Amino acid sequence: MKHKKLAKELGLSDVYAIATGAMFSSGFFLLPGLAAAETGPSVVLAYLVSGIIVLPTMFSVAELATALPRSGGTYYIIDRSLGPMLGTIGGFGSWLALVLKSAFALIGMGAYISIFYEVDILYVAIFLTIVFGILNVVGAKETTWLQKVLVAALVTIMFFYIIQGVFEVFSMDVVAVAQKQFTPFFTEGVFGFFATVGMVFVSYAGLTKVASIAEEVKNPDRNIPLGMFLAIGTAVLVYVVGVYIMVALLDPAAFREDLTPVATAGEVFLDWLPEPGGLILVVVAAVAAFASTGNAGIMSASRYPMAMARDKLVNRHFATVGKLGTPHWSVLGTVGLMLFFLLAFNVAEVAKLASAFQLLLFGLLNLSVIVMRESRIEEYDPGFKSPWYPWIQIAGIILSIILIFEMGVLSILFTVTVSVASIIWYKYYAEANVERQGAIYHVHARLGEHKDQGLEGEMRNILREKGLRQEDPYEELISRADVLEFSSDIDYKVIIEEASQKLADKMGFSLEKLTEMFMISDDYTAIPIAEGVALNHARIDEKISPEMVLVRIKEGYSDGKILSSTSEDADEDESKLHSIIFFVSSKENSGQHLRILAQIAEMVGSKNFIQRWCKAKNDEEIREIMLRDERFIKITLNPDDNTQQYIGKMIKEVSFPGQSLITIIRRNGEIKIPHGITVLQEGDELSIIGEVEDINELKEMLKK
């Protein structure tokens, strides 16, 4: 069953808003006083250390989410790396933990609203759950629009808050404040401090939830890691400086019993605002924080059952994407589970139990990076690679294990119960439906065992969907590609030899070695990649620029050596090849090689490709068919329109937007290769390539 993909509508600001919103709620507006009771003034350092400890997992998730941008985040990553049984544990555990955290956040929101209005906190939480659920059904873009508004309000107020607080502290005698408020620094010793680190660590746990909406992110290679880095920077700054202000200004004994320390500290240094202006600001920030956590939580949590349903681990209806472009059954299931917990349990107590499970998932995510790297799957092509591999992942695993034992017996028992229940579900419901095994089988393959071939195909599809990176020279490659024409009765060996000659001349590479690489199998079989199109590619050890030869056979070619994988039921005309593409690049950049292959497959798979290919009048038109329309424009220099400004100028004197380049000049029916000193003439046809925004800007310039 082919599942409908979610639309890529989310940009950098959306990723930042979701990651930031998922971190701010009880960790800042409720927890500081309780944490200070465990370790004293060193609670400030505990928040800083926790922010540092989360970095290994953040690096790991940023790498994994850019390599595997699919809904389901933690579940999908663990499933594809460690196998479906651990994936089932990760999926159910992540869903449950996020549902509990979101429900708890909405309880907290109701508590802050009750400061000004006498309301039933539970009913407020239920109402907000339904409202956010409806919003998530309506659309991801609408959901993240609200998320950005909430986070913008939260961050603006919090920065105003900490600036005012810092001014207040430094207007006092800083040395006296340090002696009075920060001595003794560790009230419960080293063990009390590390127990507090474990307690406040979960304040940063929401950062990784952005991976669950990775499928909906535009340009995930850039926006996911950058959004996460900006979010963790914001969180660490606000947490550490904000808690420092609370410790410096509040009475130690009162602070350690205070459940609203942000509001209490605000009353000290925001007293210059009209009463109750300071309190209103803090309440608005708290409501925005809890609301953003609840809203982002529903959005992120709903992607777990969706991803699991795609993989046949739960009922397939959860994978349905409705007319509004959202997984409505998955959203409704998530909202229903939240309402159940709100009505049946003390959510605050149960949510705390999920902390150890979060740490277990962190450990598995760090392990997943090691497995994916050591699997040596060529299609594993993350846009961001974690630094200091594998030491930072090993550190992340060890730290997760240490912190789990700081969570207490009940939290560990909760984690074990959920894990065992997930294994039972997998064994008795899902195992018969699942054929994949995960990247860990590729590690086994290196030790002589079998591997999961299906995973490679799935990751090739991901490469194809992600598209090229900015540094990939696809357009330049096409623009300089040689074009060869052959008749239908030619021997394929001759085609290989002539294509190899063109490539060898360009690269300065041995013709004999290159020909041998293209004929490496007994039948020197090319790979059919679309109707009427075959591909023959190779990688060489030397450092070279990628090169390509485009072969056209108008009448069609039907050599069975090439067409060995074509359907036997296909009509004779449909089984003929009209296009053979030869592509060579360096082994030093295997990721780029695979991305270019994926782009070639995308282009030749487009509608009416073969018809356009066969009707092309010349080499230039053949190349243009292989170019991406949004990155390519062809103009004719005319003295009667805006192109007249280029007539008579040398190419080096012409200024185009950004890095746009003239790749081909067609003059009087002949092709001219452009050089800096080439003088442009009236009637010249220019083929220009560039980034999407640069080409769009050029189009607008020429319209004026």
Side-chain angles (χ1 to χ4, degrees), residues 603-643:
M603 298 305 299
V604 303
S606 61
K607 188 176 181 180
N608 299 324
F609 174 82
I610 284 298
Q611 290 88 333
R612 294 164 58 215
W613 180 265
C614 292
K615 290 179 181 179
K617 296 177 182 179
N618 49 53
D619 294 358
E620 181 190 0
E621 288 191 11
I622 288 175
R623 294 188 188 95
E624 288 173 6
I625 292 168
M626 295 293 296
L627 292 171
R628 294 176 286 178
D629 292 340
E630 73 275 13
R631 292 175 178 261
F632 167 77
I633 185 175
K634 184 164 72 172
I635 63 175
T636 301
L637 302 188
N638 190 325
D640 298 324
D641 60 29
N642 285 337
T643 62

Side-chain angles (χ1 to χ4, degrees), residues 10 60 132 294 310 468 520:
L10 309 183
S60 294
F132 288 140
R310 284 177 170 178
L468 298 168
I520 197 164

Side-chain angles (χ1 to χ4, degrees), residues 83-290:
M85 186 167 72
L86 284 176
T88 303
I89 295 173
F92 279 125
S94 297
W95 189 33
L96 188 60
L98 199 48
V99 162
L100 285 168
K101 182 177 180 180
S102 302
F104 180 48
L106 296 182
I107 286 284
M109 184 176 173
Y112 269 83
I113 291 174
S114 68
I115 293 177
F116 288 105
Y117 301 99
E118 191 170 335
V119 293
D120 187 299
I121 295 174
L122 177 61
Y123 288 157
V124 170
I126 291 171
F127 173 75
L128 292 170
T129 300
I130 295 171
V131 169
F132 288 140
I134 293 171
L135 189 62
N136 272 271
V137 169
V138 169
K141 196 64 181 176
E142 290 75 13
T143 306
T144 54
W145 177 85
L146 173 62
Q147 188 72 10
K148 285 190 284 188
V149 171
L150 293 171
V151 170
L154 167 65
V155 172
T156 301
I157 295 173
M158 283 297 94
F159 274 101
F160 174 77
Y161 179 93
I162 63 176
I163 289 170
Q164 293 295 317
V166 168
F167 272 117
E168 179 71 17
V169 172
F170 282 89
S171 68
M172 304 162 62
D173 186 336
V174 177
V175 175
V177 169
Q179 291 175 343
K180 179 182 177 183
Q181 302 292 99
F182 289 87
T183 306
F185 194 61
F186 297 98
T187 59
E188 302 297 327
V190 175
F191 290 105
F193 172 74
F194 281 106
T196 307
V197 170
M199 178 189 296
V200 302
F201 178 78
V202 294
S203 301
Y204 298 99
L207 175 68
T208 62
K209 300 311 175 190
V210 73
S212 67
I213 48 89
E215 184 176 317
E216 299 155 84
V217 177
K218 296 177 289 187
N219 192 7
D221 288 351
R222 170 185 178 270
N223 291 335
I224 290 177
L226 183 55
M228 293 177 72
F229 297 158
L230 292 173
I232 190 66
T234 301
V236 170
L237 177 64
V238 172
Y239 277 139
V240 174
V241 179
V243 174
Y244 169 81
I245 292 168
M246 296 177 209
V247 174
L249 298 181
L250 299 181
D251 174 73
F255 175 45
R256 293 165 196 177
E257 296 178 357
D258 197 339
L259 296 180
T260 57
V262 180
T264 306
E267 289 178 341
V268 174
F269 58 83
L270 295 176
D271 54 351
W272 57 273
L273 291 172
E275 187 70 25
L279 182 59
I280 290 175
L281 271 181
V282 172
V283 170
V284 169
V287 168
F290 285 116

